[in-house]
């Protein structure tokens, strides 16, 4: 089918370490509230890193039947609940009128690792006969997408993207393409992650990827700051309702934003480290701007991947300079949502796009919290305090282990002609 259909976002939902629901999420961001504290899901005393950004105000029974809650890993609960929020926000009731033109494209980095970890303990302590028959359907990474389809009756395209920390951004990009090229009219897309189990945290600790600022957790995630020492693990989910523009208009939907471009690349360099000079991120942004048919002068804001690791922040800074040009790069404000939410891994891309779109509508760019000491190698405008801004077009970057990169370009909803 021929491309050319336009794709808009008509509903959003978010479960984050700084608040569940759009209002709580946004209020925390503009207040500079950190979601980072000592890990409570288990006793972290034996680990080098004992802090994380946990979700604190989520009750699955507000969204899911009690019996079904017990049959879902937490990452699936987050995904299903965020979908309920997004559908309500979009004013859509299920089942869909045209279920075969409605799909689910979802992202997660690790999926049901808590179920996997729990059942391994059962196997070792009680033997194979005691392993749960729900182990596999709870653990596999595609089950959030599967459960969302079961919940909504969406029978169109359904798949799961697993590109580490770029997963939900890639999911949104692929959903955008499916609608644009005529394979679906509505897609539920986003991502979720729930990895606060000893095995996962220990794995990241062994990689020396996490901040060890255990005595000062709220100031541990500090993207682009000179004293950054690693990222802070987070959890949560974000979901968006993507619709073909004319369908959305026909039902009188509110349009949050239009997705106008998507780029995705590979570093082809290293399993964890970004390519020197941020080559993959640079081309991801260039590809996205070309797809959107815009130039660097049209970009009003960039929501950075901004993890707070020494290598990522330096390479993303260089990538932005190379993609936009040195002069323009210094003019465009850049901020990192992770400075407050921590790093939601596979869910980070969609949650950061939610933050970007809320900021466009509110006329405010949220800050990069804890940006106290400039790093000579990170010398862009990182927005140390929230500021008023007329953001018409924005970029959102997401980069994953394995060197997989994604960039989304969005236009503010009231500008959709």
């Amino acid at each position: 089918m021929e491309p050319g259909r336009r794709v808009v976002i008509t509903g959003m939902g978010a479960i984050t370490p700084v608040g569940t629901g759009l209002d709580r999420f946004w209020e925390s961001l503009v207040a500079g509230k950190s979601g980072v504290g000592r890990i409570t899901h288990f006793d972290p005393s034996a680990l080098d890193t004992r802090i994380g950004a946990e979700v604190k105000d989520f009750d699955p029974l507000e969204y899911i039947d009690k019996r079904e809650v017990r049959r879902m890993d937490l990452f699936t609960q987050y995904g299903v609940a965020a979908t309920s929020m997004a559908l309500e926000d979009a004013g859509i009731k299920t089942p869909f009128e045209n279920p075969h033109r409605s799909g689910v494209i979802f992202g997660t980095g690790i999926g049901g690792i808590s179920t996997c970890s729990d059942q391994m303990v059962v196997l070792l302590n009680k033997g194979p006969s005691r392993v749960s028959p729900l182990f596999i359907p709870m653990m596999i990474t595609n089950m959030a997408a599967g459960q969302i389809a079961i919940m909504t009756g969406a029978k169109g395209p359904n798949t799961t993207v697993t590109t580490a920390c770029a997963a939900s951004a890639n999911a949104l990009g692929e959903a955008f393409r499916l609608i644009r090229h005529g394979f679906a009219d509505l897609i539920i897309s986003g991502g979720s992650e729930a990895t606060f189990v000893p095995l996962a945290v220990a794995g990241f600790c062994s990689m020396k990827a996490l901040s060890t600022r255990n005595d000062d957790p709220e100031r541990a995630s500090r993207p682009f700051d000179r004293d950054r020492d690693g990222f802070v693990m987070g959890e949560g989910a974000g979901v968006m309702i993507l619709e073909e523009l004319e369908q959305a208009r026909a039902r009188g939907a509110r349009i949050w934003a239009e997705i106008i471009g998507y780029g995705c690349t590979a570093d082809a360099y290293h399993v964890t480290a970004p390519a020197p000079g941020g080559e993959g991120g640079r081309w991801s942004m260039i590809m996205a701007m070309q797809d959107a048919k815009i130039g660097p002068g049209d970009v009003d804001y960039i929501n950075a991947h901004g993890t707070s690791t020494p290598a990522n922040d330096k390479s993303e800074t260089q990538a932005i300079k190379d993609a936009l040009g040195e002069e323009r790069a210094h003019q465009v404000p850049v901020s990192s949502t992770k400075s407050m939410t921590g790093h939601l891994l596979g869910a980070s891309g969609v949650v950061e796009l939610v933050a970007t779109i809320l900021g466009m509508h509110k006329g405010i760019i949220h800050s990069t919290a804890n940006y106290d000491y400039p790093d000579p190698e990170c010398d862009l405008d990182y927005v140390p305090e929230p500021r008023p801004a007329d953001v018409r077009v924005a970029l959102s970057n997401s980069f994953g282990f394995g060197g997989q990169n994604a960039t989304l370009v969005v236009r503010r909803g009231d500008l959709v002609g």
Side-chain angles (χ1 to χ4, degrees), residues 113-157:
I113 192 170
S114 64
T115 297
C116 186
S117 179
D118 292 345
Q119 291 301 307
M120 177 60 77
V121 173
V122 171
L123 173 68
L124 294 176
N125 292 337
K126 300 181 179 179
S129 65
R130 300 295 298 274
V131 171
S132 170
L134 295 173
F135 166 47
I136 297 299
M138 288 177 67
M139 177 271 293
I140 52 180
T141 55
N142 66 321
M143 196 46 66
Q147 290 281 14
I148 291 168
I150 292 168
M151 179 185 85
T152 61
K155 298 180 178 178

Side-chain angles (χ1 to χ4, degrees), residues 181-219:
H181 289 261
F183 295 100
D185 298 324
L186 180 152
I187 293 183
I188 300 163
S189 187
S192 64
E193 206 78 83
T195 58
F196 277 107
V197 293
L199 180 63
V201 181
F204 282 117
C205 282
S206 294
M207 294 172 60
K208 308 295 184 187
L210 300 180
S211 171
T212 56
R213 198 183 288 258
N214 296 308
D215 296 331
D216 195 10
E218 294 186 354
R219 297 174 64 78

Side-chain angles (χ1 to χ4, degrees), residues 222-226 228 304 306 313 316-317 336 371 375 378 382:
R222 41 196 319 113
F224 305 108
D225 183 84
R226 181 196 64 192
R228 66 193 184 277
D313 293 356
E316 186 171 12
T317 298
S336 169
Y371 180 69
D375 179 342
C378 300
Y382 301 113

Side-chain angles (χ1 to χ4, degrees), residues 254-271:
R254 174 193 48 199
I255 296 173
W256 279 108
E258 179 180 9
I259 300 180
I260 58 174
Y262 167 51
C264 60
T265 64
D267 286 354
Y269 172 69
H270 190 272
V271 292

Side-chain angles (χ1 to χ4, degrees), residues 8-95:
V8 293
I9 297 164
T10 57
M12 303 193 294
I15 299 169
T16 83
V18 297
T20 290
L22 299 182
D23 291 342
R24 289 180 189 169
F25 177 49
W26 179 249
E27 289 165 4
S28 295
L29 290 184
V30 293
K33 176 183 175 183
S34 171
V36 183
R38 183 178 174 86
I39 292 171
T40 63
H41 285 32
F42 62 92
D43 180 2
S45 300
L47 298 170
D48 291 338
T49 293
R50 299 181 285 281
I51 56 174
E54 299 173 331
V55 170
K56 304 162 189 69
D57 59 351
F58 175 68
D59 180 359
L61 297 178
E62 292 183 13
Y63 311 95
I64 309 167
D65 177 78
K66 185 176 182 179
R67 179 173 177 271
E68 292 301 314
V69 167
R70 291 196 295 265
R71 300 163 68 91
M72 294 181 187
D73 186 276
L74 184 56
F75 99 99
T76 298
Q77 295 177 26
Y78 285 159
V80 169
T83 296
S84 292
M85 295 177 200
L87 288 170
E88 181 178 358
D89 185 55
I92 293 176
K93 295 186 177 183
T94 57

